[in-house]
Amino acid sequence: MGKNVAQKLIDSHLVSGEAVQGKEVNIRIDQTITQDATGTMSYLQFEAMGVPKVKTELSVSYVDHNTLQYGGFENADDHRFLQTLASKYGIHFSRPGNGICHQVHLERFGKPGKTMLGSDSHTPTGGGIGMLAIGAGGLDVAVAMGGGPFSLVYPKVVLVNLKGKLKPWVSAKDIILELLRRMTVKGGVGKVIEYGGEGVKHLSVPERATITNMGAELGATTSVFPSDDVTKAFLAAQGREKDWKELSADPDAKYDEQIDLDLNKLEPMIAKPHMPDQVCKVSEIEGMKVDQVCVGSCTNSSFRDLMLVSETFKKGGFKVHPEVSMTISPGSKQVLDMMALNKGLAHLIEAGARILEATCGPCIGNGQSPPSGGVSLRTFNRNFIGRSGTKDGKVFLCSPETAVAAAIYGVITDPRKLGKFPKVKMPAEFLVDDSMVVPPAKDPSKVSIVRGPNIQALPKQGPLPDTLKGKVLIKLGDNITTDDITPAGTWLKYRSNVPKYSESVFAQIDARFHEKAKATGGGFVVGGENYGQGSSREHAALCPMYLGIKAIVAKSFARIHKDNLVNFGILPLTFANPADYDGISDGDELEMTGLKGGLNSDTLVIKNVTRDKEIKLKHGYSPRQVETILAGGTLNYTTAKSR
Ligand code: MIC
Ligand code: SF4
């Protein structure tokens, strides 16, 4: 039987396990990426494994999240640690200013047909160039750097069948927003989203990458496009034609689901606060006053996206509305460089846009927080409550076309009203200059790793006890994000300092949570559907572990977060009967006994001591995950196995 693109990629990298949907398989990882906010922890874990040099084909350590800290040494210390460590262990180091990891990797390193694991949830951006690119926790990435396989549940594959061609002022972002409208933020869990159909050939690689990037918001394992002539032309323009390889679905390939999307009929779309799936047509909310517009992030910061904004200002003779603060964050040094040379940058400056560094910036709450109660239109991928740094800020997610229309008129405006569309052609040649990527040392023995005081040791815990007992420390609703669990923004600088960062756990919901957890020696957390969606940050498991959290009982979990919890020995458990969620309240005393043998069965019982009631739970762990949990986490498990 023929295979689809996702199956070809997985099957060609299979190390062990059966290629049967729903079963756990192990795949070989060719490339890894890390970014600074998750990288320090990932490398501390890699060091703990005692492997002298990475065993991947390519590993790159990017600095793009925390670059311009105000009043403190923490970021700079992290950068120095990351650079020296990369040099010693055979890792390429992309210096701050070289760009956002996903954009740079697509331009300079991504290869069709390869697998990639990244300690950032938007790693699937690489799917735009025909890679099987998956986001994971830093510990999983560390294992992959050490040559270990990555375990995943063999996914369902959904075909998104694209028909026709996008109309002017409608772009790739509108495609993924429309899919989010139809599928919601949990619609992609356990699935790979594969794009096909005759509409694919009209989308450039950066446009495809916008779509695969934001597939993360669907909760999908990853998203992937075939590798075709468009991919070849992109790689050739990057001076990397030799990296091209054709990759397409067999004519008789089968899919588990199919979604048809007629690009001719698509209109500009926008996601309203505070979830990426709260999508409607831009025309439905036209006229709303806008305080801020931000263009950038790993979703929409390519040459095409920024030039589109620049050309719209220039061709129409427009300026940024006097009551709008507009920022531009280029995705890479390449984009910035090319726009400096072709005057695209000058037109943005002339129009009154504020130019930021080629980093994540406002997307992760680093600057440009909206004014109180203000409306911010962003070309980003997430609009979770508080992520922008302003709790009552209203963040909308849209395309660069919709963003520039709002920046010009000061109100939400359907970009189709802007007149003639300034089509941006893909350059025949990109400006290639990799001088901000530092290759690893030729003689690693001469490199010493520099550790400042912000680089704290990894917290540890022992094996799983037979009984878990404690109070419900917090009861939460559906779609709790990792930004709710361990916020970013001003807390980001403590990513290498778990004791300090643990003070942030649930701080936006209950500022005293960490004190409560410490005082009671830890306890349980109860959640609704899709617990832990969003970022890959393993801190959302590591910091609760540090505070003594024993298990999270929820209706369902997001994939990466569930894996992270297992990695750190916290039990992710689901209600066998979701209605039992109502049978537990904040402060209830819970108890689980006989865990050592009990995990061999998928059904467990938790006793609500306060209400004298037993509740059935499921775990759904693979045999490997059971052993990991029993050992108290992946590091304990792998160390025990290698003895
Ligand atoms: C994000 O967009 O939330 C981040 C910051 O890039 C995270 C990674 C992190 O928390 O460091 C992600 O998406 O995985
Ligand atoms: Fe950076 Fe934002 Fe992309 Fe995360 S989503 S990698 S913070 S640009």
Side-chain angles (χ1 to χ4, degrees), residues 102 118-124 134-136 213 216-217 382 534-536 560:
H102 308 302
S119 63
D120 191 282
S121 64
H122 291 104
T123 303
I134 303 179
N213 169 285
E217 277 52 62
R382 288 185 175 145
S535 154
S536 68
I560 307 180

Side-chain angles (χ1 to χ4, degrees), residues 45-348:
Q45 293 167 134
F46 174 74
E47 267 190 303
M49 288 170 193
V51 179
K53 187 172 184 267
V54 287
K55 295 190 177 156
T56 45
E57 289 175 13
L58 176 80
S59 288
V60 189
S61 169
Y62 290 91
V63 176
D64 54 3
H65 279 62
N66 293 321
T67 53
L68 271 185
Q69 183 190 346
Y70 171 73
F73 58 87
E74 289 90 350
N75 286 183
D77 273 12
D78 284 356
H79 301 173
R80 212 163 46 165
F81 168 72
L82 289 167
Q83 182 159 4
T84 48
L85 187 136
S87 182
K88 195 168 186 74
Y89 287 106
I91 299 159
H92 285 71
F93 180 74
S94 173
R95 290 161 59 199
N98 194 41
I100 306 175
C101 56
H102 308 302
Q103 175 68 24
V104 177
H105 208 83
L106 190 77
E107 292 167 356
R108 304 302 311 139
F109 300 110
K111 285 188 190 174
K114 298 284 180 188
T115 54
M116 172 160 84
L117 201 66
S119 63
D120 191 282
S121 64
H122 291 104
T123 303
T125 312
I129 207 166
M131 301 184 89
L132 185 80
I134 303 179
L139 182 48
D140 288 328
V141 176
V143 170
M145 287 190 288
F150 176 66
S151 312
L152 80 158
V153 176
Y154 203 93
K156 285 190 175 165
V157 185
V158 180
L159 172 68
V160 176
N161 180 31
L162 301 176
K163 282 191 256 174
K165 205 174 160 188
L166 291 168
K167 291 262 166 64
W169 301 106
V170 184
S171 65
K173 183 64 156 281
D174 301 310
I175 298 179
I176 188 65
L177 286 173
E178 170 60 11
L179 288 174
L180 274 153
R181 187 185 72 78
R182 293 196 200 176
M183 296 173 76
T184 82
V185 289
K186 51 183 191 355
V189 176
K191 302 173 185 171
V192 171
I193 317 293
E194 180 170 322
Y195 292 83
E198 36 96 21
V200 164
K201 64 175 180 294
H202 301 300
L203 296 171
S204 66
V205 167
E207 289 171 306
R208 296 174 184 187
T210 292
I211 297 169
T212 56
N213 169 285
M214 212 174 163
E217 277 52 62
L218 292 168
T221 303
T222 190
S223 304
V224 69
F225 272 83
S227 168
D228 56 9
D229 287 346
V230 174
T231 322
K232 189 177 182 179
F234 175 80
L235 283 167
Q238 291 284 355
R240 306 202 284 126
E241 196 174 338
K242 62 171 188 350
D243 290 345
W244 182 72
K245 178 180 162 185
E246 211 244 321
L247 190 62
S248 58
D250 291 331
D252 57 342
K254 296 252 174 328
Y255 293 89
D256 299 288
E257 284 170 43
Q258 178 166 333
I259 296 175
D260 295 312
L261 197 60
D262 189 345
L263 301 182
N264 295 304
K265 293 201 180 127
L266 196 62
E267 292 189 28
M269 308 298 284
I270 191 162
K272 296 176 284 184
H274 297 281
M275 276 294 152
D277 60 3
Q278 298 302 300
V279 174
C280 69
K281 290 180 183 163
V282 173
S283 58
E284 286 171 37
I285 54 167
E286 267 191 308
M288 186 186 292
K289 190 176 175 321
V290 169
D291 301 284
Q292 268 194 348
V293 171
C294 306
V295 175
S297 94
C298 53
T299 318
N300 278 120
S301 57
S302 66
F303 178 78
R304 180 255 171 224
D305 287 341
L306 267 53
M307 278 306 291
L308 184 276
V309 172
S310 170
E311 289 286 287
T312 305
F313 279 124
K314 186 186 131 205
K315 295 230 161 101
F318 297 120
K319 296 268 186 232
V320 175
H321 189 277
E323 282 163 38
V324 173
S325 167
M326 183 185 203
T327 59
I328 310 273
S329 320
S332 67
K333 177 171 169 285
Q334 181 180 77
V335 172
L336 188 57
D337 241 0
M338 288 176 67
M339 289 188 60
L341 291 170
N342 75 2
K343 293 226 166 73
L345 191 60
H347 299 133
L348 288 171

